[in-house]
Amino acid sequence: ENPTMLFLPFEQAPVGNNMMLVRTDRALADVAPEFRAAMQQVDPLLPLRGVQTQAQRFEASIADRRFAMQLSAAFGLVAYLLSAIGLYGVVAFGVAERRRELGLKRALGATDRVLVGEVLGRSFRVGVTGVAAGTMGAIGATGLVRANLFGVPTFDLPIYLMSGSVVLLSTLIAGWVPARRAVSVDPRQVIDT
């Protein structure tokens, strides 16, 4: 279970990049000059570079992954905005196609509240279908991004609930504007055309 290990003197197997760790409770700016002076006493020809804290080394070690995740988040935000714009366009087109129907219902006595509720109900059903399909796709894709997830479970229910809620809220907002525009039209103008 434990792999066999062999320790060699540095002179026998020199490594290109060596590190020395110093544990202290003082700030790096206070310790670095003293550390450099002590190392110069040991070997004046020893080049010292990259003196940094463990936190700085950790940040540098994950910088590439952090950039990839920030880039993914930016692409995700752009994708969300494009989908919200597309959703608005689809709902607005659907309401425009049903303008005569909505005008006729209004002329027959349907209130604005009923008509807006009908349009929002259709929009909400489209949103629920999209959230369900997106959630299934996200669950399937977690295996692909698992290597970049640090301490995040494969199935994180709060994240799925929050993202689904944002999409459904966007769906309702996308449906609200065309619905209000449709019910503000005079039924006589819509029916005559």
Side-chain angles (χ1 to χ4, degrees), residues 153-192:
T154 304
F155 184 78
D156 194 4
L157 185 61
I159 294 295
Y160 286 113
L161 290 175
M162 185 182 70
S163 58
S165 299
V166 168
V167 170
L168 289 177
L169 181 64
S170 302
T171 303
L172 291 177
I173 292 171
W176 177 259
V177 176
R180 291 303 306 163
R181 190 177 306 135
V183 298
S184 67
V185 175
D186 185 10
R188 291 174 292 178
Q189 293 175 345
V190 176
I191 294 171
D192 290 342

Side-chain angles (χ1 to χ4, degrees), residues 112-130:
D112 289 353
R113 184 176 178 177
V114 169
L115 295 176
V116 168
E118 183 181 327
V119 172
L120 289 180
R122 285 183 182 221
S123 300
F124 190 74
R125 284 190 294 275
V126 169
V128 166
T129 304

Side-chain angles (χ1 to χ4, degrees), residues 20-163:
M20 178 174 270
L21 301 176
V22 176
R23 184 178 191 149
T24 180
D25 57 354
R26 295 169 45 204
L28 178 65
D30 297 336
V31 175
E34 295 174 16
F35 179 72
R36 286 182 189 277
M39 292 305 293
Q40 291 297 314
Q41 286 179 354
V42 173
D43 186 354
L45 300 176
L46 187 67
L48 288 177
R49 56 183 164 71
V51 178
Q52 51 190 184
T53 65
Q54 189 69 17
Q56 290 169 334
R57 288 197 54 77
F58 175 75
E59 291 295 322
S61 72
I62 64 168
D64 291 341
R65 289 186 179 188
R66 176 171 285 155
F67 175 73
M69 294 312 291
Q70 288 172 341
L71 192 61
S72 296
F75 283 138
L77 181 62
V78 169
Y80 166 73
L81 291 174
L82 288 174
S83 68
I85 291 168
L87 183 64
Y88 171 80
V90 168
V91 172
F93 179 76
V95 169
E97 289 290 308
R98 296 181 54 219
R99 231 170 133 197
R100 286 192 74 175
E101 173 194 342
L102 295 172
L104 183 61
K105 286 181 179 180
R106 187 163 186 218
L108 293 173
T111 63
D112 289 353
R113 184 176 178 177
V114 169
L115 295 176
V116 168
E118 183 181 327
V119 172
L120 289 180
R122 285 183 182 221
S123 300
F124 190 74
R125 284 190 294 275
V126 169
V128 166
T129 304
V131 166
T135 301
M136 297 300 237
I139 290 170
T142 53
L144 300 174
V145 296
R146 187 175 293 143
N148 290 322
L149 299 177
F150 299 105
V152 178
T154 304
F155 184 78
D156 194 4
L157 185 61
I159 294 295
Y160 286 113
L161 290 175
M162 185 182 70
S163 58

